[in-house]
Amino acid sequence: MKGKEIRDLSNDDLKQKLKDGRAELFNLRFQMATSQLDNTSRIKLVKKDIARVLTEIRARELNLAVDLVS
């Protein structure tokens, strides 16, 4: 998922993407532990997507805090 796509999502959508990403990461790790995972590079992509979502959530929190102070 691209950064532009993430910035266009609402707060609720971001939380859902985070929840879905963490669930997918759990499943991928479980598959890797049981030697059923074929595409190991998918783990890295899911981790990056989770990080992008968390970064956008934090940026919005900081912008909200700055707006409240001003």
Side-chain angles (χ1 to χ4, degrees):
M1 177 172 277
K2 303 270 185 185
K4 172 102 172 89
E5 295 170 3
I6 291 174
R7 284 188 290 275
D8 293 339
L9 296 175
S10 69
N11 289 340
D12 291 334
D13 290 339
L14 282 175
K15 289 177 184 175
Q16 186 60 42
K17 282 283 186 192
L18 181 61
K19 184 178 177 183
D20 293 343
R22 286 183 171 164
E24 183 179 359
L25 183 60
F26 174 80
N27 290 330
L28 289 172
R29 285 181 173 159
F30 189 77
Q31 288 176 4
M32 191 161 80
T34 59
S35 299
Q36 295 177 346
L37 184 61
D38 295 328
N39 185 7
T40 57
S41 65
R42 181 75 182 133
I43 292 175
K44 188 175 181 179
L45 295 175
V46 171
K47 283 183 178 182
K48 284 186 176 185
D49 284 343
I50 291 171
R52 285 184 184 111
V53 170
L54 287 171
T55 300
E56 181 60 26
I57 290 172
R58 182 65 179 148
R60 289 181 185 190
E61 288 174 356
L62 292 175
N63 285 339
L64 182 63
V66 167
D67 290 342
L68 291 176
V69 171
S70 299

